[in-house]
Amino acid sequence: MKLQGSYTLPAKREAVWQLLNDPQRLAECLPGCEQLEVVGVDHYRVRLKLGMAAISGNYTGSVKLTEKKPPAWCRMSVEGQGAAGFVQGEAKIELAGEGNQTVVRYAGEASVGGLIASVGNRMMELAARRILEQFFANLASQLRT
Amino acid sequence: MIPAAFEYHAPKSLEEALRLLSRHGNEAKILAGGHSLLPLMKLRLAAPRCVIDIGRIQALRYIREENGRIAIGALTTHTEVLESPLLRAKCPLLPQTAWEIGDVQVRNRGTVGWSLAHADPAADYPAAVLALDAELVAASVHGTRTLRAMEFFVDMLTAALLPGEILTEVRVPILPPRTGTAYRKLHQPASGYALVGAAACLTLGPGGIVERVAVGLTGVGPKAYRAVAVEKALAGKKASEKLLTGAARHAVPEHVEPLSDLQASAEYRTAMAVVFVRRALESALARAQGKPR
Amino acid sequence: MATATRYMGRPLKRKEDPRLIQGLSHYVDDLRLPDMHYVVFVRSPHAHARIRSMDTSRAQTAPGVLAVLTGQDLGNAVGVIPCAAQLPEMKLALRPPLATERVLFVGEPVALVVAVDRYAARDAAELVEVEYEPLTPIVDPEKALARGAPVLHPQYSDNVAYRWELEGGDVGAAFQKADKVVRQKMVNQRLIPVALEPRAVVANYKPGENKLTVWSTTQIPHLLRTQIAAALGVPEYIVHVIAPEVGGGFGSKLNVYAEEVLVAHLAMRLGKPVKWTESRRENFQATIHGRDQIATMELAVKRDGTLLGLRCHILADLGAYYQLLTPLIPTLTGLMICGCYKIPAVRVEITGAFTNKMATDAYRGAGRPEATYFIERAIDMVAAELKKDPAEIRRKNFPKPKEFPYATPTGLIYDSANYPKSLDMALKKSGYRRLRAQQAKLRRQGRYLGIGLSTYVEICAMGPSSAMPAGGWESATVRIEPTGKVNILTGASPHGQGQETSFAQIAADLLGLEPDDIHVVHGDTAIVPYGIGTFGSRATAVGGTAVYTALVKIRDKLATIAGHILQEDPQRLVFRDKKIFLKSNPAKSVAFAEAVGAAYIAKALPAGMEPGLEATHFFEPSNFTFPFGAHVAVVEVDPETGEVHLQRYVAVDDCGNVINPLLVDGQVHGGIVQALGQAFLEEAVYDENGQLITGELTDYAIPRAWDVPRLETARTVTPSPVNPLGVKGVGEAGTIGATPALVNAVVDALAPFGVRHLDMPTKRERIWQLIRKFKPTGSRPATKRVGDGRGRRGRRKR
């Protein structure tokens, strides 16, 4: 599943970059994040509750920033595993300053396996999009405060 | 296919159900006909801590004429909708839609209200209630409120019900003379859900002018919607095949993001939305003109 | 002794149905034993991964849990899953019952939980922690064979499971002298069998008696018993296998599965009765799949339509491991690739490939639907290329009726046939000429009717033991009880085919009784002598012949007894109306029950005769049988949506002599509908990561009642010389004959849009695109709105 899009955040590029690199604040933005624990440089263990409406599942996994060039871009990988299957994804995240705003462009590839892959086909892409939208909306509200 | 453990309540009255729901809050799920929730629970995609089975509340099962509209209790089954002489005579779009839902077993168990409340992007009723500009009544321990169909569908699997609310009634209009309705659907071959479902309600005025028209679409995007641009292209104009064909081209407005899955790409869905809107309009027009379709 | 046929040939209602319809029957999952425990398997969500670690400690201590086992825990206690196939230079790919180091397909079991109920077992299964290291999945069989592709089984250098070749006649010369060569690559997609009843196993071990009883949803109880004994390393006599009611198999239960062997092991290991019932999701992931062959067909033809030669390369996607017959199925495609045509020169090359998927194996038709599809599609392409009627191309290349038995260049001997007769009947019954005229007229109106033909031959009544992996005979015992009631014990294992009825019809005629006097017993290894089972359309032709022959033996004995009582020549006696009487003088008779009684009382038997009335026969067929037929499908394509509406279906089948036409029609109907599933709807889709994304019935479309018009069936009867009943077999014919007829009809409908071929399933969106993207050289064909969106519900009435 290919995922790409952009989102405009109400802050300068440096502020966005800082936010993405601050584990505690990042944790508050990750949708459904119930726990985030730093296990190394740019490497976190997370527990997420992900889903839509009545459908939800718990996943444990990790978030890693694998490459980065502050404050222009980084590569983020996420993986999680739970009773409903597994999710893994990697995306390049680019930040472009536009005045007091920052346009975030992401492009990546995500895959899911197990139960959610075999029965969730028709909703999968949209669910992924919604989770990303939520993530950016959370970033935006973090940046506003 | 064995669900996780859950607490089960089967209230006998709406009041009891509302009290239970307010007590258990987000941890509770409402079970009505069970055709959406139970499959999710069996697969453990949903594992609510508490299930409130409202299926035994007989008081929510009726179809009656009331204050110039038809009121349908939320727990009325699809079969009851399909077979209601009142609806067939005065608001046939709902029976026409019910006929296209699932199979006999699904129609005997599934309920009109909770099919709507589940807000499945491919369910059939949403298109019809949008085309009918229906009202939906939600109750909570604090009282009731009435929502218009237009504001009811929020997103994929998300209706505008607040925590603690139970959908109790659907109200549809008694259709005026010279009105024709139709629901046309491209079935998803495996599940029977709508890849595209178009509901049209069209009233002719003097001289064959389209006096009023409403078109609801389901299956196309993350939530059902009114095809307002189609309606605008028709209203006040003399009905003709050409007019309908032209109007149907506006079936998928820019703000709708068409779904794409194994069964149909976004491109195909968009094209089929145009075809099925046109077909629904054609049938509705023919019926409005008194031709059997 | 003449045999009056009073019941054979008659459409008797099934003796099985009253109990089934009333829910009075017992399937495996209906069994409840005291202190029964339940098994849930933990399965891999990955298509290809290394197992880094497994931690079962939390699951072990969960409430109600009796045991949690991994492959490590099992050690060598349970052997590998057997494969009966042997091909030259075939690589072995035997599957451990629980994966230990690596998983090779989504759904492969890695651990199991046994608990007091299904809920506890399922809850605990979620607590088993498995850490996987994902490896690159190999999903596409063509890429699996590419140089440098990752290798599935590291002991080998590539993913080629085997290569198999077959050549007959001078193929090079045939192609040299051809006027035209028609080439096409075609995909016969992967299917999921979807029997109504998923698999289920119950096992119970009694240590005192040293007796292991296994109830399983199987088509092969005796073979399963042998294999369970082998896998567990116990003597076969302690194992008792019962196949109670089995709710459909279609070949998917012609196997020995890890779950069957493991549940048997658990009953012995834990000393408790143990049950496992497959969920539909497991059924999709971990019960065998069918088909999945990619063929490149080349036909060398003369300008007049005479077929000169055939070259075919088949790439078969076998999945990750072999199940019982996995590698053999594509070879059946090779053997039958000529169809019902005289093709003097043939070359077939088959490559089996390993991929990270569930194994393919025998699914209704098993290799023959693929062969028939490939040749029948190719024949239609020849007709299109030469601008000839597809019926005439077919007729031109049939072997003549007097040429039978007919030897094919692939080494088979077709037993008997009259191909022109069945084709003529199908054309007449469908009104073929009128249909063609109607098609031309509708095309001018912008409507697209398609007429599809298929003339098929298939190979069944499997089969002579010399050509089978593990015995092709069948057993039957006829035991007449002292009261005169008859027990027939058959080694066949019907699971929907209705042999309780048809075998009773045979017996009633031979013994002069009523079908209700006869009871057919099957599926219990403690009662029935060793048998092979029900598959490959063999139960009547092989199992029925065993029954017939055993009946003849016992009738001879009864005639001798009756002759002794009546003081008449046994040869002159007739069995009818529960009496045995002198043909020339019916008044001179003895009641059937009296003759039977004499055999048991044994006071006045002819000198030297053994008492009792029981006869057993093991029938070894001398050849396969080759049923055939001609099908016509009529479809209309909605050019706006790409929807295909099946309007008519005419099937003329020849399965030799018919014992019960109702059962034959039922088999034909079911087969056609299953073919419709493959042609129009079904497709097991693994995504690029090897995830089975058609993992439930919400995404895997099987045919519904409303997809099917009234089926018009008819028969020709060409008895088989291979068995005394003259029967051939019909269990798979519909599936084999119908798929190409349906696809040929769709392609025919789309011919005005330049469509020459379309792979299955003929999806709406694909058809819509073909129509939309068509760039006509002349004027664009008109498209009229044919549908009104009432779609598949259109023809339903309320």
Side-chain angles (χ1 to χ4, degrees), chain B residues 1-5 42-44 82-83 88 99-104 107 184-192 195 241 245 262-265 267-268 271-272 275-276 278-279 282-283 287 293, chain C residues 118-119 122-123 126 279-281 638 640-643 681 685 693-694 696-702 704 706-707 763-765 768-769 772-773 785-793 796-798:
Chain B
M1 299 284 268
I2 304 291
K42 285 178 173 179
L43 289 166
R44 299 197 174 194
L82 177 60
E83 292 175 353
R88 283 185 169 207
W99 170 232
E100 295 289 344
I101 298 174
D103 48 35
V104 175
R107 291 195 292 271
R184 289 287 175 263
K185 168 182 180 182
L186 184 67
H187 290 81
Q188 200 263 43
S191 68
L195 282 178
E241 194 177 304
T245 305
L262 196 62
Q263 306 291 349
S265 69
E267 185 194 20
Y268 181 62
M272 290 307 104
V275 170
F276 282 82
R278 195 202 72 228
R279 290 179 180 184
E282 283 171 354
S283 289
R287 285 170 175 154
R293 262 313 271 262
Chain C
R118 293 173 210 239
Y119 298 91
R122 179 80 166 77
D123 287 350
E126 288 187 6
S279 72
R280 186 58 75 187
R281 226 168 79 75
D638 181 338
E640 268 195 320
T641 63
E643 286 171 287
L681 299 165
V685 182
I693 56 174
T694 50
E696 280 280 349
L697 286 166
T698 47
D699 282 307
Y700 185 88
I702 56 171
R704 314 294 163 106
W706 57 66
D707 292 312
K763 283 186 158 186
R764 300 179 290 203
E765 180 165 353
W768 172 78
Q769 270 170 353
R772 211 170 53 117
K773 290 182 179 158
R785 306 149 176 178
V786 288
D788 64 352
R790 271 182 250 197
R792 63 183 194 183
R793 293 284 170 80
R796 275 206 295 180
K797 296 212 166 56
R798 273 178 62 81

Side-chain angles (χ1 to χ4, degrees), chain C residues 270-409:
Chain C
L270 304 172
K272 307 270 186 196
V274 177
K275 178 192 276 190
W276 170 72
T277 305
E278 188 183 54
S279 72
R280 186 58 75 187
R281 226 168 79 75
E282 289 176 295
N283 181 247
F284 271 55
Q285 291 183 343
T287 291
I288 61 104
H289 294 171
R291 321 278 191 257
D292 211 346
Q293 297 184 7
I294 302 169
T296 307
M297 287 286 281
E298 290 178 276
L299 277 180
V301 291
K302 288 210 299 206
R303 203 164 288 108
D304 69 356
T306 305
L307 300 172
L308 299 173
L310 184 160
R311 272 197 300 245
C312 172
H313 178 266
I314 292 168
L315 173 55
D317 184 341
L318 305 177
Y321 299 104
Y322 300 145
Q323 286 281 339
L324 193 63
L325 301 169
T326 301
L328 276 189
I329 307 303
T331 65
L332 273 175
T333 308
L335 290 173
M336 292 305 294
I337 199 70
C338 294
C340 52
Y341 308 108
K342 279 180 90 161
I343 306 177
V346 176
R347 179 168 174 77
V348 183
E349 292 168 26
I350 296 175
T351 308
F354 293 123
T355 61
N356 289 114
K357 299 177 192 165
M358 180 61 199
T360 50
D361 204 318
Y363 169 52
R364 199 171 191 176
R368 295 99 87 201
E370 295 93 320
T372 308
Y373 178 75
F374 297 144
I375 184 69
E376 288 301 297
R377 280 294 305 120
I379 291 284
D380 257 32
M381 282 178 218
V382 168
E385 184 75 32
L386 300 177
K387 299 195 168 41
K388 289 188 188 296
D389 190 290
E392 292 324 305
I393 291 287
R394 286 175 166 81
R395 189 191 309 278
K396 188 173 189 62
N397 289 288
F398 287 154
K400 308 251 173 316
K402 62 176 192 308
E403 291 178 70
F404 286 83
Y406 168 78
T408 73

Side-chain angles (χ1 to χ4, degrees), chain C residues 71-156:
Chain C
Q72 301 285 1
D73 299 328
L74 286 178
N76 294 323
V78 183
V80 292
I81 305 311
C83 173
Q86 284 182 333
L87 294 172
E89 291 174 56
M90 179 182 97
K91 289 173 191 159
L92 289 180
L94 298 180
R95 182 181 146 189
L98 290 177
T100 50
E101 288 162 23
R102 295 177 320 126
V103 287
L104 295 189
F105 66 96
V106 167
E108 183 172 2
V110 296
L112 61 87
V113 177
V114 188
V116 289
D117 60 41
R118 293 173 210 239
Y119 298 91
R122 179 80 166 77
D123 287 350
E126 288 187 6
L127 301 176
V128 174
E129 287 169 28
V130 188
E131 201 190 337
Y132 295 98
E133 178 191 334
L135 303 170
T136 310
I138 301 145
V139 184
D140 179 335
E142 290 178 328
K143 289 182 187 155
L145 299 186
R147 196 184 292 273
V151 176
L152 219 75
H153 296 285
Q155 67 271 37
Y156 301 123

Side-chain angles (χ1 to χ4, degrees), chain B residues 77-282:
Chain B
T77 64
H78 309 324
T79 298
E80 287 161 346
V81 168
L82 177 60
E83 292 175 353
S84 159
L86 181 65
L87 285 170
R88 283 185 169 207
K90 299 190 173 176
C91 189
L93 181 55
L94 276 191
Q96 285 158 2
T97 306
W99 170 232
E100 295 289 344
I101 298 174
D103 48 35
V104 175
Q105 290 88 336
V106 170
R107 291 195 292 271
N108 283 343
R109 291 291 302 173
T111 68
V112 60
W114 286 80
S115 168
L116 288 165
H118 187 58
D120 191 302
D124 297 290
Y125 281 131
V129 298
L130 284 164
L132 291 169
D133 200 11
E135 292 171 346
L136 298 115
V137 181
S140 72
V141 287
H142 309 296
T144 62
R145 64 186 182 117
T146 304
L147 294 103
R148 284 184 60 193
M150 291 273 270
E151 57 194 3
F152 189 73
F153 304 104
V154 177
D155 197 357
M156 182 170 78
L157 302 179
T158 312
L161 292 174
L162 299 172
E165 277 188 331
I166 288 179
L167 182 68
T168 57
E169 189 175 278
V170 181
R171 291 183 197 147
V172 294
I174 290 167
L175 298 176
R178 305 256 294 154
T179 298
T181 61
Y183 181 64
R184 289 287 175 263
K185 168 182 180 182
L186 184 67
H187 290 81
Q188 200 263 43
S191 68
Y193 272 97
L195 282 178
V196 169
C201 180
L202 183 148
T203 306
L204 286 176
I209 299 292
V210 178
E211 194 170 277
R212 189 195 162 275
V213 62
V215 176
L217 266 161
T218 189
V220 182
K223 61 173 181 173
Y225 63 93
R226 274 270 290 267
V228 179
V230 175
E231 298 168 7
K232 277 196 183 137
L234 293 168
K237 304 206 177 86
K238 184 158 166 50
S240 69
E241 194 177 304
K242 202 174 150 210
L243 179 75
L244 301 189
T245 305
R249 292 206 183 99
H250 306 293
V252 186
E254 208 142 286
H255 66 82
V256 171
E257 35 176 3
L259 301 173
S260 178
D261 57 30
L262 196 62
Q263 306 291 349
S265 69
E267 185 194 20
Y268 181 62
R269 265 198 171 79
T270 306
M272 290 307 104
V274 172
V275 170
F276 282 82
V277 164
R278 195 202 72 228
R279 290 179 180 184
L281 285 168
E282 283 171 354

